[in-house]
Amino acid sequence: MTAVEPSAVPAARTAPEPATPAVVSFDHVTHWYGNVVAVNDISLELGPGVTGLLGPNGAGKSTILHLLSGFLSPSRGSVTIGGVAPWRHPAIFDTVGLVPERDSVYAFLTAREFVLASAKLHKLPDPKAAAERALQLVEMIDAADRPIQTYSKGMRQRAKVAAALVHDPKVLLLDEPFNGMDPRQRMHMMDLLRDLGQRGRTILFSSHILEEVERLADTVQVVVAGRLAASGDYRTIRRLMTTRPHVFLLRSTDDRELARVLMASPAVQGVALTKDGLEVRASDHGTFTRKLARSCRDAGIGLREVIPSDESLESVFAYLVGA
Amino acid sequence: MYNTTVAWITFRALFGRRRALLFALPALILIVLTLGLKSASGTVADWPAIVLGQVGAGAVVPLTALLIGTSVLGSEIDDNSVLHLLATPVPRRAVVMAKTSVATAVTFLFAAVPVLIAGVIAQGGLHSLAVGCFLGSALGAVVYSCLFVMISAAVRHPVIYALAYVALWEELISNLVSGAKYLSIEQWSLGVAHAVSKNTNLNAHLTITPSLVLAVIAVVVLLTYATRRLSAFTVRAD
């Protein structure tokens, strides 16, 4: 993997701070495993809503989640959840839920026993009711009395999510939560997490699958080689990456004439006629989008469609990892 | 201080693994050996003291405690299922106490009680040697369990370190270096057994007072250190 373009990083990291008070905070956090730097000088703040932690395998996503859940201590910098450092402080789990990535659960228990045990460990006033509510949330009621060892990977994931949700945590940390889930389970889990985010919970989930993050997350934290490569809304991040031209696909009544008109604009780096329409590479997103309609009108060209073809998260991610 | 849910999960986990089949093996060997020697009685003088002391308190108890003590926490740490337990607000001291108490109870059942049974078989009734070795083994069950739970909390691959303690320290070094007896759980057990039975064939090097005092100190230190280490539990890098 090549390094992130230095020019892209500072621009992308100027994404706006969350408007609501930060619940989760990383302040210049670094973590080493021996001589290996897993997380390198990361600062971020998260408030309520769903945040996707995106990065290739080995980028440091799990390390970030383990630092947040107190299962690793920062080698440098500070980590807080609700103002409290989680390291050596298990009481944070009164308000935090964790879904670890690894498939290891108490496989000899049924899902109902597992979730009920979690409710009791949280000392909930009515653990049975809380366990049933959590099992219902993940649609596991019907299979709840089977031992977990008989479950598919997706069902195990749902049982783990139910156990993490049983005390209705304010902060939910999920490490690759969609692993092994079939499309229907995945959709349901996304709806559940989205709903929790809308109800003011702070949800942070890691994934190396762009489509999952794009569909679910309000904001993304892109981690590459242990560094925070970008932070915020991915469309905003893309626009801040000013060293990269923005690619649009235009369809008009006269693509050839439109190409000639646009090439006169300093905001346009290049155009190409394709079978799908006119592909335009704009160096200045703002100027191009502001002037496009006026240029078409002045030239007497009917503009039918404007498609930003590299504003997907996949495109942003490809730029950031230099792929 | 103590969490019954942790104890319940620990108990289920302990007997939910194939390794549980091994728990009864040392005790089974002790009983079979006792029956064999009983049927050939008279060939070795004072064999009950040797079997109950050296084999029972000196081998069956530490080996059973090793199998159980490293299972209650070490296996969960190895497969990371312990994360589900630690991702709760339960104080780490309560986790250590629950796991150690389960390990102690199961070791008592699978090691100390068989020593008593072997003693009754060997002497044809409940005599002071059987009672002494049983009480010594019960003390051993407590201290060994604390030690092996602590080792599980402190290091990866706890079985290796636990075996090193039993085989190298207790069986080799404490027999060669006189001062090492003060740090031998086996000698503390034999000290109690000797105080009750007054049987010199037990080969006890300590009296009951230092045995009990050192055992109590060891339990406190081991539980405190295990709690400290579990409080600083870290996830391994993939």
Side-chain angles (χ1 to χ4, degrees), chain B residues 83-169:
Chain B
L83 274 187
H84 296 288
L85 198 58
L86 298 182
T88 66
V90 177
R92 302 311 183 228
R93 179 182 290 118
V95 174
V96 168
M97 289 300 289
K99 292 202 169 282
T100 307
S101 64
V102 170
T104 301
V106 178
T107 304
F108 177 82
L109 195 68
F110 280 89
V113 171
V115 166
L116 181 67
I117 294 169
V120 170
I121 293 169
Q123 297 185 298
L126 194 60
H127 297 286
S128 63
L129 179 65
V131 174
C133 288
F134 167 68
L135 292 175
S137 297
L139 179 77
V142 175
V143 188
Y144 280 119
S145 296
C146 292
L147 174 69
F148 297 142
V149 168
M150 183 282 288
I151 291 175
S152 300
V155 295
R156 307 294 181 199
H157 312 297
V159 175
I160 295 170
Y161 292 89
L163 266 177
Y165 173 78
V166 173
L168 292 179
W169 185 265

Side-chain angles (χ1 to χ4, degrees), chain B:
Chain B
M1 195 70 172
Y2 185 83
N3 190 296
T4 52
T5 306
V6 177
W8 175 75
I9 291 174
T10 304
F11 189 81
R12 291 281 305 268
L14 200 56
F15 289 97
R17 292 188 167 95
R18 282 183 193 163
R19 203 173 172 183
L21 294 172
L22 293 174
F23 298 163
L25 192 62
L28 197 65
I29 291 170
L30 175 69
I31 300 290
V32 169
L33 180 69
T34 308
L35 286 169
L37 288 169
K38 178 79 175 169
S39 64
S41 61
T43 52
V44 181
D46 292 323
W47 65 268
I50 296 167
V51 168
L52 297 181
Q54 306 303 310
V55 181
V60 171
V61 175
L63 287 178
T64 308
L66 185 152
L67 289 168
I68 295 165
T70 55
S71 291
V72 291
L73 183 60
S75 301
E76 287 183 29
I77 289 174
D78 276 349
D79 69 12
N80 266 299
S81 54
V82 75
L83 274 187
H84 296 288
L85 198 58
L86 298 182
T88 66
V90 177
R92 302 311 183 228
R93 179 182 290 118
V95 174
V96 168
M97 289 300 289
K99 292 202 169 282
T100 307
S101 64
V102 170
T104 301
V106 178
T107 304
F108 177 82
L109 195 68
F110 280 89
V113 171
V115 166
L116 181 67
I117 294 169
V120 170
I121 293 169
Q123 297 185 298
L126 194 60
H127 297 286
S128 63
L129 179 65
V131 174
C133 288
F134 167 68
L135 292 175
S137 297
L139 179 77
V142 175
V143 188
Y144 280 119
S145 296
C146 292
L147 174 69
F148 297 142
V149 168
M150 183 282 288
I151 291 175
S152 300
V155 295
R156 307 294 181 199
H157 312 297
V159 175
I160 295 170
Y161 292 89
L163 266 177
Y165 173 78
V166 173
L168 292 179
W169 185 265
E170 297 225 304
E171 297 308 316
L172 190 67
I173 297 171
S174 68
N175 283 323
L176 295 175
V177 182
S178 67
K181 67 187 176 190
Y182 292 102
L183 293 176
S184 165
I185 299 169
E186 180 187 349
Q187 283 303 321
W188 303 342
S189 301
L190 292 176
V192 171
H194 178 259
V196 175
S197 66
K198 308 294 181 203
N199 190 315
T200 52
N201 289 317
L202 284 170
N203 201 24
H205 300 314
L206 294 174
T207 57
I208 190 164
T209 306
S211 297
L212 288 178
V213 169
L214 289 168
V216 170
I217 291 170
V219 166
V220 173
V221 169
L222 292 168
L223 290 177
T224 305
Y225 190 63
T227 302
R228 276 190 61 178
R229 292 307 300 252
L230 197 62
S231 300
F233 172 80
T234 56
V235 175
R236 275 170 290 178
D238 286 323

Side-chain angles (χ1 to χ4, degrees), chain A:
Chain A
M1 183 192 305
T2 55
V4 180
E5 281 208 1
S7 58
V9 177
R13 287 176 72 173
T14 57
E17 296 291 314
T20 45
V23 177
V24 169
S25 170
F26 262 56
D27 185 15
H28 295 287
V29 174
T30 296
H31 183 80
W32 291 283
Y33 289 109
N35 292 328
V36 179
V37 182
V39 164
N40 192 352
D41 195 28
I42 285 185
S43 293
L44 59 86
E45 290 196 335
L46 306 178
V50 182
T51 301
L53 192 56
L54 179 66
N57 287 328
K61 305 186 296 294
S62 293
T63 302
I64 288 173
L65 290 170
H66 289 143
L67 284 161
L68 277 172
S69 46
F71 292 124
L72 288 174
S73 67
S75 308
R76 194 180 288 166
S78 70
V79 179
T80 56
I81 293 190
V84 177
W87 174 245
R88 286 177 181 263
H89 201 270
I92 61 146
F93 288 107
D94 279 329
T95 54
V96 175
L98 172 70
V99 180
E101 181 190 6
R102 290 173 193 169
D103 202 25
S104 48
V105 283
Y106 296 112
F108 48 88
L109 299 178
T110 66
R112 179 167 276 118
E113 288 172 331
F114 179 53
V115 180
L116 181 61
S118 181
K120 287 178 178 173
L121 292 171
H122 282 94
K123 296 200 183 302
L124 301 182
D126 188 350
K128 272 191 179 174
E132 291 305 307
R133 182 188 61 82
L135 287 165
Q136 222 152 18
L137 276 176
V138 298
E139 294 186 333
M140 284 288 289
I141 290 287
D142 291 342
D145 290 318
R146 275 170 44 200
I148 293 174
Q149 60 205 2
T150 65
Y151 286 175
S152 66
K153 190 172 169 60
M155 290 170 82
R156 286 179 187 220
Q157 286 290 94
R158 284 151 66 200
K160 282 157 56 180
V161 172
L165 280 177
V166 75
H167 58 304
D168 194 18
K170 286 180 184 163
V171 178
L172 184 60
L173 310 170
L174 308 99
D175 200 353
E176 302 278 357
F178 305 106
N179 275 0
M181 287 189 185
D182 64 34
R184 200 192 68 80
Q185 293 170 344
R186 197 170 289 219
M187 288 276 285
H188 175 259
M189 190 58 68
M190 283 188 181
D191 288 345
L192 172 63
L193 296 178
R194 197 177 291 119
D195 181 54
L196 288 168
Q198 283 166 357
R199 288 197 282 126
R201 304 294 183 269
T202 301
I203 315 284
L204 177 64
F205 74 99
S206 74
S207 178
H208 61 279
I209 299 171
L210 296 157
E211 183 247 349
E212 287 175 357
V213 179
E214 190 163 13
R215 284 174 63 181
L216 177 59
D218 304 321
T219 57
V220 291
Q221 306 288 334
V222 184
V223 183
V224 181
R227 298 191 78 102
L228 190 65
S231 174
D233 175 86
Y234 65 85
R235 291 176 192 84
T236 311
I237 295 169
R238 175 65 191 94
R239 280 164 206 165
L240 288 166
M241 291 160 60
T242 51
T243 58
R244 296 277 185 176
H246 298 258
V247 182
F248 294 87
L249 186 68
L250 308 183
R251 294 198 182 98
S252 68
T253 52
D254 189 345
D255 287 349
R256 193 170 290 276
E257 177 61 12
L258 181 57
R260 189 190 66 74
V261 169
L262 291 179
M263 277 308 291
S265 166
V268 173
Q269 280 189 350
V271 295
L273 280 165
T274 70
K275 63 181 172 56
D276 297 322
L278 181 64
E279 189 181 275
V280 179
R281 296 166 70 80
S283 55
D284 183 338
H285 183 278
T287 306
F288 172 74
T289 51
R290 275 197 305 276
K291 290 189 173 174
L292 176 62
R294 190 184 304 159
S295 302
C296 288
R297 190 193 60 200
D298 293 348
I301 300 166
L303 189 60
R304 289 178 176 151
E305 206 167 10
V306 180
I307 305 167
S309 56
D310 69 345
E311 276 203 1
S312 69
L313 185 51
E314 187 170 2
S315 163
V316 171
F317 189 63
Y319 283 161
L320 290 172
V321 301

